[in-house]
């Protein structure tokens, strides 16, 4: 029997929560745990606890007398360990803006036996447009069937197929009859164009039918094409999905799909966007993704923060478990925390110090909330304060090796990003120069194949003033994969 | 404000890598060196100091021990490595770029020498360098393969390296 939670833990709010935050947390918990909606054993009791907690905490008088009975608040949440590294020990007392890098690491705090793997609520969105004809379609079918065979009794699964229309091929349910479903997938014939919004919308509805925070809710889209005209609708839907605890990931096949759009879509929900050059890799990449979903400890780590005056969050990147660019506006969905690994995020801040000398400066204040599927009542969000002392000493100090290591590889990714930006601005010479710089660094690291592709693209930029679709993706996802090299421990 | 020594691009104070050319802006060697000597001194004082060089990193058949800074570069995956330094607008690129170890100031040529694994034998070849390659104090004739063994000290110009040969 675990020790009884206090009312704050029960609602998943910090001790300093405002009445408004408490009300919101209550509505959220009530929606999730209401007896009419939930049949899982034990959750009705949780709901009664939540009810009781809200009755006390929403009344200022009762809350004050309840607070007096509580032991002093423990500053760190017990579920996830937080480790923060700064690139500099202190900021320098100068009027101009200066940079500081911060590496966040979140590791599951599992004592004794690891909790059981959470159930999945997964929907596959399969592109069946004409361009998928042939090997791609065959491989997608085979992989979807493989995923289906790996499902456990507690997993919910659905499939949506789409071209310019979307159709629910397998409605969301558990314990389905595999033979029938496999036949349905096998019958799939390619036809039509590509429109993503109807597919995402249908997938969202399938997953929503069994939406429940005690499982991993996720959509995975497999596509080789691009959608036209409904991008904004898709992104809005992703935002809604994120707020409801549904992640979206995408697997782009070949060279024609819109990497910028799918990256953006996935990053809004804490999901990931993956690239495969040929049909041979579809199976490996999708199964890896499937395994990662099953190993989730916390489904979504969400950072909510306010920046202090003069501070700007210039760049945010998730290094691990799946490398990907993150948005820079609060709240940020950092993505899942995997049970046998850690979540690592690197952020670049610029800070312009106010005139007048003070001892230290606060960059950011906020918290990190995690949703842990195996523990239905969320823990207290981890409070987060970034601050640095100010000195007059201008001698640069070397950053910790973890930050050096991450930055050395992230710099390469950013070089190609910059080249891409310059191409869209029409500055082909600068873009080509940046690619050449990138190639030199890649050669120095022994990445000969990638370096050759980069040099070919640099040459091509000179002659034809455009990236090739293929080179563009190889470089982007190739330099991104460098970030994962050696970090990602995929267990068979 | 920091000015990149490589491309003269201006970066904000606190930048670690140049956003323009990717060059490292913070000198790491100094800090590594400090830790290294401190540990050695403690070992000597406690009487546990060993004379043998540090063990070579696994999965590489040879590692280069940069004696000035104490850093170790493991070389793996291929059976031949050229040593030298990368120069701007130079099409020839060595497998191992020694630029971070003051290669230019130490007189290392762009393609200075090569290390080859031939069956179980490891040989060192000078590639016609300007300032010569020295093995344990003896200057090698250019383009002649000379066998080397674990712990040998070589000079590329004035850059001093120790060869650490893997056990596998």
């Amino acid at each position: 029997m675990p020790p009884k939670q206090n009312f704050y833990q029960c609602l998943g709010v910090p001790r300093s929560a405002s009445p408004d935050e408490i009300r919101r947390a209550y509505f959220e918990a009530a929606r999730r745990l209401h007896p009419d909606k939930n049949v899982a054993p034990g959750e009705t009791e949780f709901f009664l606890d939540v009810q009781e907690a809200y009755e006390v905490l929403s009344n200022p008088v009762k809350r004050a007398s309840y607070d007096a009975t509580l032991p002093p608040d423990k500053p760190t949440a017990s579920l996830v360990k937080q480790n923060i590294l700064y690139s500099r020990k202190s900021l320098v007392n100068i009027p101009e803006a200066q940079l500081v890098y911060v590496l966040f690491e979140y590791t599951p705090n599992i004592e004794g036996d690891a909790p059981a793997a959470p159930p999945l609520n997964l929907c596959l969105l399969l592109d069946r447009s004409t361009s998928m004809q042939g090997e791609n379609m065959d491989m997608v079918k085979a992989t979807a069937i493989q995923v289906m065979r790996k499902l456990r009794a507690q997993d919910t699964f659905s499939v949506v197929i789409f071209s310019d229309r979307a159709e629910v091929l397998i409605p969301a349910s558990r314990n389905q009859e595999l033979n029938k479903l496999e036949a349905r997938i096998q019958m799939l014939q390619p036809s039509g164009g590509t429109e993503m919004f109807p597919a995402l919308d249908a997938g969202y509805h399938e997953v929503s039918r069994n939406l429940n925070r005690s499982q991993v809710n996720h959509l995975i889209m497999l596509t080789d094409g691009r959608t036209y005209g409904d991008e904004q609708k898709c992104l809005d839907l992703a935002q809604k999905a994120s707020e409801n605890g549904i992640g979206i990931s995408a697997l782009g096949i070949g060279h024609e799909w819109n990497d910028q759009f799918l990256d953006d879509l996935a990053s809004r929900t804490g999901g990931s966007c993956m690239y495969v050059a040929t049909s041979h890799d579809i199976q490996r990449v999708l199964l890896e993704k499937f395994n990662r979903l099953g190993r989730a400890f916390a489904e979504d780590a969400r950072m909510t923060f306010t920046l202090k005056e003069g501070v700007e969050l210039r760049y945010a990147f998730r290094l691990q478990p799946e490398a990907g660019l993150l948005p820079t506006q609060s709240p940020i969905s950092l993505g899942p925390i995997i049970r046998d690994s850690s979540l690592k995020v690197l952020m670049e801040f610029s800070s312009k110090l106010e005139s007048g000398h003070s001892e230290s400066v606060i960059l950011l204040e906020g918290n990190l909330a995690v949703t842990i599927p195996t523990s239905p009542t969320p823990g207290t969000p981890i409070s987060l304060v970034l601050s640095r002392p100010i000195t007059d000493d201008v001698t640069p100090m070397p950053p910790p090796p973890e930050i050096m290591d991450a930055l050395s590889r992230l710099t390469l990714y950013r070089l190609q990003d910059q080249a891409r930006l310059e191409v869209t601005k029409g500055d082909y010479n600068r873009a080509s120069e940046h690619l050449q710089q990138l190639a030199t660094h890649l050669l120095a690291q022994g990445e000969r194949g990638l370096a050759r592709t980069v040099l070919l693209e640099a040459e091509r930029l000179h002659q034809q003033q455009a990236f090739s679709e293929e080179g563009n993706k190889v470089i982007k996802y190739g330099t991104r994969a460098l970030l994962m090299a050696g970090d990602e421990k995929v267990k068979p | 404000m920091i000015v990149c020594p490589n491309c003269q691009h201006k970066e904000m104070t606190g930048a670690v890598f140049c956003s323009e050319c990717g060059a490292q802006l913070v000198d790491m060697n100094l800090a590594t060196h400090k830790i290294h000597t401190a540990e050695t001194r403690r070992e000597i004082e406690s009487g546990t100091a060993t004379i043998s060089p540090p063990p070579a990193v696994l999965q590489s058949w040879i590692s280069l021990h940069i004696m000035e800074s104490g850093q170790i570069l493991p070389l793996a995956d291929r059976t031949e490595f050229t040593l030298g330094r990368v120069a701007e607008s130079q099409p020839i690129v060595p497998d191992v770029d020694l630029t971070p170890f003051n290669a230019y100031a130490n007189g290392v040529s762009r393609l200075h020498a090569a290390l080859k694994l031939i069956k179980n034998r490891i040989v060192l070849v000078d590639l016609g360098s300007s300032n010569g390659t020295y093995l344990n104090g003896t200057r090698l004739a250019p383009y002649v393969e000379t066998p080397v063994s674990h712990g040998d000290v070589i000079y590329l110009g004035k850059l001093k390296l120790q060869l650490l040969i893997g056990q596998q």
Side-chain angles (χ1 to χ4, degrees):
Chain A
M1 178 86 189
K4 190 155 168 62
Q5 290 176 309
N6 70 39
F7 289 157
Y8 291 98
Q9 288 165 337
C10 193
L11 286 174
V13 293
R15 287 275 283 276
S16 56
S18 66
D20 201 38
E21 283 173 310
I22 291 173
R23 195 167 53 246
R24 258 186 284 137
Y26 168 68
F27 286 151
E28 156 68 14
R31 201 166 50 80
R32 198 173 70 234
L33 297 168
H34 196 276
D36 289 354
K37 278 188 82 176
N38 260 291
V39 287
E43 290 199 344
T44 307
E45 285 74 13
F46 276 126
F47 179 66
L48 296 176
D49 288 346
V50 166
Q51 193 85 17
E52 189 190 354
Y54 180 66
E55 271 162 26
V56 172
L57 297 187
S58 58
N59 179 328
V61 181
K62 282 188 189 169
R63 182 179 175 184
S65 57
Y66 175 72
D67 281 354
T69 68
L70 285 180
D73 201 4
K74 283 188 194 149
T76 50
S78 54
L79 297 161
V80 173
K81 275 183 277 189
Q82 174 174 259
N83 186 22
I84 294 176
L85 285 175
Y86 295 87
S87 65
R88 307 166 66 186
K89 288 206 174 68
S90 54
L91 295 185
V92 190
N93 190 17
I94 46 169
E96 66 197 63
Q98 47 193 314
L99 291 179
V100 59
Y101 294 90
V102 183
L103 180 68
F104 301 88
E105 185 172 4
Y106 294 100
T107 321
N109 197 2
I110 303 173
E111 282 171 18
D113 293 340
L120 298 177
N121 177 14
L122 179 68
C123 177
L124 293 183
L125 311 174
L126 309 180
D127 186 344
R128 52 152 341 175
S129 60
T130 318
S131 55
M132 290 287 285
Q133 184 111 40
E135 261 183 47
N136 281 351
M137 195 75 244
D138 292 343
M139 198 53 90
V140 163
K141 285 184 197 172
T143 310
I145 289 172
Q146 281 228 349
V147 165
M148 219 154 58
R149 288 183 183 158
K150 283 177 174 280
L151 295 171
R152 301 153 303 172
Q154 66 268 37
D155 295 335
T156 309
F157 182 69
S158 52
V159 174
V160 169
I161 55 172
F162 70 100
S163 51
D164 29 36
R165 306 178 290 123
E167 187 186 322
V168 178
L169 186 71
I170 300 177
S173 62
R174 290 176 195 174
N175 285 323
Q176 316 195 54
E177 272 185 76
L178 283 184
N179 300 346
K180 275 190 195 167
L181 300 185
E182 285 180 16
R184 261 191 248 173
I185 289 181
Q186 287 294 4
M187 304 267 280
L188 204 53
Q189 289 298 329
S191 75
T194 308
E195 262 184 59
M196 289 179 188
F197 179 73
L200 284 169
D201 195 42
Y204 177 79
H205 277 106
E206 285 310 305
V207 169
S208 298
R209 296 207 303 175
N210 286 292
L211 190 61
N212 165 344
R213 289 251 164 140
S214 60
Q215 55 191 6
V216 175
N217 307 294
H218 213 90
L219 302 178
I220 304 180
M221 175 183 268
L222 286 83
T223 183
D224 70 341
R226 46 177 77 216
T227 188
Y228 291 99
D230 58 0
E231 285 93 341
Q232 194 51 47
K233 273 164 85 184
C234 292
L235 294 176
D236 291 344
L237 183 74
Q239 203 68 44
K240 196 167 88 179
S242 171
E243 280 157 20
N244 288 305
I246 302 174
I248 301 178
S249 290
L251 177 71
I253 305 162
H255 318 310
E256 300 295 323
W257 56 284
N258 187 343
D259 51 297
Q260 231 159 1
F261 167 66
L262 287 183
D263 264 342
D264 195 4
L265 187 76
S267 74
R268 283 177 194 230
T269 66
S272 63
C273 180
M274 301 153 281
Y275 161 63
V276 294
T278 64
S279 58
H280 303 291
D281 294 328
I282 295 175
Q283 190 162 346
R284 179 180 56 81
V285 173
L286 188 65
L287 290 180
E288 271 173 21
K289 177 71 196 173
F290 179 75
N291 287 337
R292 266 198 296 274
L293 287 177
R295 287 189 291 128
F297 170 75
E299 202 195 341
D300 187 20
R302 182 181 300 244
M303 196 181 272
T304 311
F305 57 86
T306 48
L307 295 167
K308 295 292 152 185
E309 206 179 313
V311 178
E312 194 191 336
L313 173 55
R314 289 161 50 100
Y315 198 76
F317 199 90
R318 177 178 60 229
L319 304 164
Q320 204 181 294
E322 289 170 294
L325 191 61
L326 295 171
T328 51
Q329 298 292 326
S330 169
I332 303 178
S333 276
L334 303 181
I337 301 176
I338 307 285
R339 53 181 55 218
D340 44 11
S341 152
S342 59
L343 170 67
K344 284 190 192 170
V345 171
L346 189 74
M347 292 188 183
E348 180 185 274
F349 294 94
S350 74
S351 168
K352 200 165 169 7
L353 297 177
E354 286 169 38
S355 54
H357 199 289
S358 55
E359 292 280 292
S360 68
V361 63
I362 291 178
L363 302 170
L364 168 153
E365 271 177 345
N367 65 54
L368 183 97
V370 291
T371 308
I372 296 180
T374 46
S375 145
T377 48
T380 316
I382 305 172
S383 71
L384 184 65
V385 179
L386 299 181
S387 75
R388 287 287 83 185
I390 300 174
T391 60
D392 291 317
D393 183 12
V394 292
T395 332
M397 288 294 290
E402 292 88 346
I403 291 191
M404 276 311 287
D405 187 47
L407 274 178
S408 69
R409 290 182 276 172
L410 193 54
T411 302
L412 301 187
Y413 180 75
R414 292 180 76 176
L415 271 179
Q416 62 84 32
D417 234 8
Q418 198 166 352
R420 196 187 313 276
L421 187 70
E422 281 153 359
V423 168
T424 59
K425 284 185 189 157
D427 196 346
Y428 304 107
N429 286 334
R430 300 260 295 151
S432 177
E433 270 170 38
H434 278 135
L435 288 184
Q436 281 169 6
Q437 299 280 13
L438 172 61
T440 314
H441 288 287
L442 288 171
L443 276 174
Q445 296 191 5
E447 297 290 335
R448 291 170 172 242
L450 195 52
R452 195 169 307 127
T453 312
V454 173
L455 283 176
L456 281 175
E457 286 302 316
E459 186 72 9
R460 195 186 154 96
L461 274 183
H462 259 308
Q463 288 165 0
Q464 306 181 17
Q465 317 219 308
F467 269 118
S468 73
E469 284 283 0
E470 180 181 5
N472 180 23
K473 292 190 176 65
V474 171
I475 294 171
K476 179 174 184 178
Y477 293 92
T479 46
R480 193 183 285 189
L482 290 182
L483 284 153
M484 299 211 259
D487 285 341
E488 173 83 317
K489 293 177 201 92
V490 178
K491 292 192 174 164
Chain B
M1 191 95 77
I2 304 176
V3 177
C4 170
N6 187 33
C7 69
Q8 272 68 54
H9 186 255
K10 287 185 183 125
E11 293 288 339
M12 275 189 235
T13 304
V16 181
F17 286 89
C18 174
S19 65
E20 191 64 24
C21 70
Q24 188 172 317
L25 301 173
V26 183
D27 190 8
M28 294 296 286
N29 294 357
L30 198 66
T32 320
H33 194 58
K34 270 184 198 156
I35 294 161
H36 190 76
T37 50
E39 273 181 3
T40 314
R41 203 173 301 134
R42 206 177 316 122
E43 279 183 356
I44 293 169
E45 280 164 12
S46 63
T48 55
T50 45
I51 305 141
S52 61
V57 180
L58 269 179
Q59 283 165 342
S60 64
W61 52 273
I62 194 161
S63 302
L64 301 179
H65 177 201
I66 314 288
M67 299 193 63
E68 192 182 332
S69 62
Q71 274 154 312
I72 292 176
L73 306 177
L75 308 181
D77 298 336
R78 284 180 314 116
T79 55
E80 188 174 331
F81 289 92
T82 52
L83 314 179
R85 70 181 159 85
V86 174
E88 236 175 307
S89 66
Q90 245 279 330
I92 307 164
V93 179
D95 296 324
V96 181
D97 177 22
L98 297 166
T99 312
F101 312 106
N102 294 326
Y104 181 73
N106 280 313
V108 177
S109 293
R110 277 164 251 193
L111 274 182
H112 196 112
L115 282 164
K116 297 183 192 174
L117 177 66
I118 303 169
K119 287 180 187 153
N120 286 323
R121 225 159 50 93
I122 296 172
V123 297
L124 175 68
V125 192
D126 178 81
L127 300 172
S129 63
S130 323
N131 295 311
T133 303
Y134 295 81
L135 173 62
N136 296 328
T138 318
R139 182 163 181 165
L140 301 182
Y143 303 109
V144 176
E145 294 182 350
T146 313
V148 292
S149 48
H150 185 58
D152 280 355
V153 175
I154 62 174
Y155 280 91
L156 305 178
K158 282 196 298 184
L159 184 69
K160 194 175 174 189
L161 308 169
Q162 188 181 29
L163 301 179
L164 306 175
I165 292 169
Q167 305 302 315
Q168 45 180 342

